[in-house]
């Protein structure tokens, strides 16, 4: 027999169901699981609890609802023959506590259906950013979530700080990847596009054994433009433990120039001379500006043109 035939699973093959003949003596020990539920789920659980007991009763698992403590408990009985039935019952009450409706929850008791509860509350630090990214997962009027459900064949419920998914194992893997990428600021539309391409490629039997890398889109992060540098840069001066030198006072300046030792009459005369010197400079500059109008402009040299013969 060819090795490729041994490794491939035939289309439509299902694992046979676990029956009482596989485990005729039942279970040796009693197992039980309990979970708490929020107050707002009490009315709904009261209403649908007979249906829960009936669904679990077919697998010989007891279910009790404690409204005083706000908890749900599932336990095995002497008639329980499937050891994995209690694990499915535990997942069932967990999903009921996470606001998943019973119409979807009872599917967890099937062999080819599993569930995954993804905790997203601690993935983003800021609360506002977390709410925006969680809303991005839902999309406008829930369109993004609906597209994800159709592509993965899973039921997805976004509630509070968790995302509950219910469906086949392959679909749950894709849902977890999309949810975690969305919380890492990668838009879910990129993953949805990839899933759509994979769905079309899986229909072609020739491409099943080949790599799909060349068909899948490669999304690169765009580098944002560099921020414009400010005109005035505030450069920090080097730290020195010594204080800056004290500025010179007027007396210090007079002492340095020798003006301090002059008499009051000599000081006045010096000030008058300084003022007259400034006035003379100003008059000179003004006169130069006026004389500019009388300076003739430079004439361009005349270019003689040669007459043609």
């Amino acid at each position: 027999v060819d090795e490729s035939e041994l490794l491939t699973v035939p289309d439509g093959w299902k694992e046979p169901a676990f029956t009482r003949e596989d485990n005729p003596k039942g279970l040796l020990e009693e197992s039980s699981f309990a979970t708490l539920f929020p107050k707002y789920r009490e009315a709904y659980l009261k209403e649908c609890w007979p249906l829960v007991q009936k669904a679990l009763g077919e697998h010989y698992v007891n279910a009790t609802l404690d409204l005083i403590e706000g908890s749900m408990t599932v336990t095995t009985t002497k008639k329980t023959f499937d050891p994995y039935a209690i694990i499915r019952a535990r997942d069932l009450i967990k999903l009921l506590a996470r606001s998943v409706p019973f119409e979807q929850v009872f599917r967890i008791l099937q062999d080819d259906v599993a569930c995954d509860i993804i905790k997203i509350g601690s993935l983003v630090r800021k609360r506002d950013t977390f709410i925006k990214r969680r809303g991005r997962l839902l999309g406008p009027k829930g369109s993004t979530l609906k597209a994800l459900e159709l592509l993965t064949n899973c039921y997805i419920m976004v509630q509070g700080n968790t995302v509950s998914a219910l469906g086949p194992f392959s679909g749950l893997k894709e849902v977890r990847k999309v949810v975690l990428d969305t919380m890492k600021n990668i838009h879910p539309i990129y993953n949805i596009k990839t899933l759509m391409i994979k769905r079309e490629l899986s229909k072609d039997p020739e491409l099943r054994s080949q790599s799909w890398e060349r068909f899948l889109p490669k999304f690169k992060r765009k580098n944002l433009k560099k921020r414009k540098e400010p005109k005035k840069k505030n450069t920090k001066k080097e730290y020195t433990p010594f204080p800056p030198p004290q500025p010179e006072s007027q007396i210090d300046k007079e002492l340095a120039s020798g003006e301090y030792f002059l008499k009051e009459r000599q000081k006045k005369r010096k000030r008058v001379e300084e003022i007259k010197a400034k006035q003379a400079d100003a008059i000179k500059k003004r006169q130069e500006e006026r004389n500019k109008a009388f300076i003739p402009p430079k004439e361009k040299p005349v270019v003689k043109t040669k007459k043609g013969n």
Side-chain angles (χ1 to χ4, degrees):
V1 182
D2 191 13
E3 280 188 348
S4 60
E5 292 180 8
L6 291 172
L7 294 171
T8 55
V9 178
D11 291 336
W13 182 85
K14 283 186 179 181
E15 194 173 346
F18 194 88
T19 58
R20 186 172 285 280
E21 294 172 4
D22 298 319
N23 187 17
K25 294 183 180 180
L27 305 176
L28 295 173
E29 293 291 333
E30 184 183 290
S31 302
S32 64
F33 288 102
T35 187
L36 299 172
F37 60 87
K39 185 74 176 173
Y40 64 84
R41 290 291 286 170
E42 188 177 316
Y44 180 79
L45 290 172
K46 249 194 223 180
E47 190 181 339
C48 73
W49 198 249
L51 297 170
V52 174
Q53 287 179 323
K54 185 183 176 183
L56 291 175
E58 291 175 3
H59 296 267
Y60 304 102
V61 176
N62 283 338
T64 54
L65 177 68
D66 192 345
L67 297 173
I68 297 166
E69 289 184 4
S71 67
M72 294 178 279
T73 312
V74 286
T75 53
T76 56
T77 60
K78 290 180 180 179
K79 290 183 179 180
T80 309
F81 60 89
D82 187 359
Y84 201 72
I86 189 66
I87 304 296
R88 288 186 183 132
R90 178 201 65 182
D91 293 339
L92 186 142
I93 59 173
K94 270 188 182 180
L95 291 168
L96 280 172
R98 295 308 311 155
S99 299
V100 180
F102 179 75
E103 289 78 9
Q104 295 291 337
V105 166
F106 82 95
R107 289 169 53 214
I108 195 69
L109 299 172
Q110 298 171 15
D111 287 339
D112 55 345
V113 177
C115 74
D116 190 8
I117 297 170
I118 307 155
K119 293 179 181 178
I120 57 172
S122 59
L123 297 176
V124 184
R125 191 174 292 176
K126 290 183 180 178
R127 183 70 183 170
D128 294 340
T129 312
F130 168 72
I131 291 165
K132 281 180 184 177
R133 290 182 187 175
R134 188 180 63 182
R136 196 181 291 170
L137 189 65
L138 293 167
K141 296 180 181 178
S143 58
T144 306
L145 196 69
K146 189 68 182 172
L148 199 59
E149 286 180 347
L150 291 169
L151 288 166
T152 56
N153 296 322
C154 293
Y155 174 82
I156 304 165
M157 181 75 184
V158 181
Q159 176 73 16
N161 293 331
T162 58
V163 177
S164 306
L166 184 76
F169 291 97
S170 58
L172 292 175
K173 189 180 176 183
E174 295 293 345
V175 169
R176 178 171 274 273
K177 184 181 180 298
V178 174
V179 170
L180 294 178
D181 282 353
T182 306
M183 290 296 121
K184 290 174 186 174
N185 203 19
I186 298 169
H187 203 281
I189 194 67
Y190 298 126
N191 286 310
I192 286 169
K193 281 183 179 179
T194 308
L195 287 171
M196 287 171 73
I197 293 164
K198 283 182 179 178
R199 191 179 186 181
E200 293 299 318
L201 291 169
S202 62
K203 293 176 183 177
D204 192 348
E206 293 180 2
L207 292 170
R208 284 185 183 179
S209 58
Q210 296 178 15
S211 176
W212 294 349
E213 203 65 37
R214 65 183 189 275
F215 300 109
L216 300 177
K218 292 176 182 177
F219 301 105
K220 291 181 180 178
R221 286 190 176 183
K222 292 180 181 178
N223 293 326
L224 298 171
K225 290 180 181 178
K226 290 183 179 178
R227 189 173 67 89
K228 290 181 179 179
E229 293 183 358
K231 290 180 180 178
K232 292 181 181 179
K233 289 185 179 179
N234 297 326
T235 53
K236 288 186 178 180
K237 296 176 181 178
E238 290 184 8
Y239 173 75
T240 53
F242 307 106
Q246 198 171 358
E248 289 185 346
S249 64
Q250 190 66 28
I251 296 169
D252 292 334
K253 289 176 183 177
E254 288 178 359
L255 285 167
S257 62
E259 192 181 342
Y260 183 78
F261 302 103
L262 295 173
K263 291 179 182 177
E264 192 65 34
R265 193 183 296 167
Q266 290 172 332
K267 286 181 183 178
K268 280 184 181 179
R269 193 186 301 158
K270 192 178 180 183
R271 284 180 209 144
V272 170
E273 286 174 0
E274 285 176 358
I275 292 164
K276 284 183 179 178
K278 282 182 182 178
Q279 286 175 352
D281 288 338
I283 291 164
K284 190 179 178 182
K285 284 180 181 177
R286 208 179 299 125
Q287 195 66 35
E288 285 176 359
E289 287 291 327
R290 285 176 183 173
N291 291 336
K292 277 181 183 179
F294 300 102
I295 298 168
K298 289 181 180 180
E299 293 182 3
K300 292 179 181 179
V302 179
V303 180
K304 292 179 179 180
T305 56
K306 291 179 181 180
K307 291 181 180 180
N309 296 326

